[in-house]
Amino acid sequence: MEFKLRVSRVLVTGGGSGIGKAIAKALLDEGCYVCICGRNLEKLEKVKEEFGNDRLSCMQWDVRDVSLIWEKINEAASLCGGYLDGLVNNAGVYVSHHNWKPWNETEEEWDAVWDTNLKGPMFLLRKFATYLNNNHIKGNIFCVSSIESRNYNIQGSYQGSKYAFSEMVRSHAKKVLNLGIVINGICPGIVASSLNDYNAGDPTKSCALGRILSPEEIAACALFLMSDAATICCGEMLDASGGFYAAF
């Protein structure tokens, strides 16, 4: 089945590695203009050099700094040829919970996780939707959460922030669909990425699929939800975990 993307000029947060990088590559392969952003400009420039694609640009920005959102949206729009019609709201951070004792989290760790995983992405989602509406653009916002948002035994900042993010994405999506703005997302399982420290573990215990997932597999799901094949999806947070909880 062939499908057509609903986006052509896309800002990807956390695009310097892992899932963000893979989604950026998939979008480029489909002919999109893409601007990746993150805290480490050197890492972003290495991705640009690696991909060797003139439709890729990079921009330094820590999403925790919500005061810069409008400036960075406009900068990314300029880098992508004048406007944006897509956002991949992917930036996230994971802090190891001291041998799974989250009650030992420091205040600094807690704030870093919640500001990166929830505060920054939610203000970005709202202002990007406003940007689209103000410019009469029918666009797409795609959000990356975590399968841990399905774990209701919330003990630490990572699980809590991802649970809140997923729920807020669902509620916000219903408010803007009638404006032609489609918001969906994904809850990846254990992915080969620098974000987490699961990779050294036994993959047969991670999920029913019996292996660690690849960023490219998550990117394939992302493209589906940003395409016209998913027009009936609104506020959906797709579990893409290889049967993570089924393995326990």
Side-chain angles (χ1 to χ4, degrees):
M1 177 181 179
E2 293 186 3
F3 58 84
K4 181 181 179 181
L5 290 181
R6 292 193 299 259
V7 295
S8 60
R9 288 167 168 79
V10 186
L11 169 62
V12 180
T13 66
S17 62
I19 292 172
K21 178 182 175 182
I23 293 177
K25 178 65 164 58
L27 290 167
L28 288 168
D29 289 345
E30 292 295 322
C32 295
Y33 288 83
V34 178
C35 177
I36 55 174
C37 74
R39 289 177 289 181
N40 189 326
L41 183 59
E42 182 180 357
K43 180 187 291 187
L44 299 171
E45 289 176 340
K46 286 182 179 179
V47 172
K48 181 173 173 59
E49 181 180 356
E50 176 187 342
F51 288 173
N53 192 313
D54 292 338
R55 285 181 278 103
L56 177 65
S57 56
C58 54
M59 174 182 74
Q60 187 173 30
W61 178 37
D62 185 342
V63 298
R64 292 179 295 181
D65 190 347
V66 298
S67 69
L68 294 179
I69 290 178
W70 280 119
E71 176 185 329
K72 293 302 181 179
I73 288 175
N74 288 324
E75 182 180 344
S78 178
L79 290 169
C80 287
Y83 72 93
L84 296 169
D85 58 9
L87 166 67
V88 175
N89 207 359
N90 166 73
V93 65
Y94 169 82
V95 177
S96 179
H97 290 157
H98 309 289
N99 297 320
W100 292 104
K101 295 181 179 179
W103 48 85
N104 289 333
E105 279 186 284
T106 67
E107 182 180 357
E108 290 75 18
E109 289 173 331
W110 179 276
D111 288 344
V113 172
W114 279 85
D115 287 353
T116 306
N117 293 358
L118 182 63
K119 179 182 175 181
M122 286 313 306
F123 275 97
L124 176 57
L125 181 152
R126 292 169 177 176
K127 293 186 177 182
F128 193 83
T130 301
Y131 163 84
L132 293 174
N133 187 46
N134 288 348
N135 289 280
H136 309 289
I137 299 171
K138 294 182 178 181
N140 187 280
I141 299 173
F142 183 78
C143 298
V144 179
S145 184
S146 169
I147 195 62
E148 286 292 347
S149 69
R150 308 299 199 206
N151 183 355
Y152 302 120
N153 182 25
I154 296 172
Q155 299 182 52
S157 58
Y158 184 79
Q159 293 170 327
S161 64
K162 288 299 188 178
Y163 172 80
F165 185 47
S166 292
E167 293 304 310
M168 291 186 74
V169 168
R170 292 188 184 95
S171 64
H172 282 60
K174 297 178 182 180
K175 304 293 185 183
V176 296
L177 185 62
N178 65 327
L179 302 175
I181 301 170
V182 179
I183 304 177
N184 288 299
I186 198 165
C187 296
I190 300 174
V191 178
S193 168
S194 60
L195 178 65
N196 60 54
D197 57 8
Y198 290 110
N199 296 348
D202 181 356
T204 62
K205 296 180 180 179
S206 301
C207 64
L209 193 59
R211 61 173 175 80
I212 302 296
L213 312 178
S214 74
E216 290 74 22
E217 289 173 312
I218 304 302
C221 295
L223 289 193
F224 164 73
L225 284 171
M226 288 188 280
S227 78
D228 57 7
T231 54
I232 63 172
C233 297
C234 172
E236 301 295 342
M237 297 300 293
L238 175 68
D239 285 359
S241 66
F244 182 76
Y245 285 114
F248 294 94

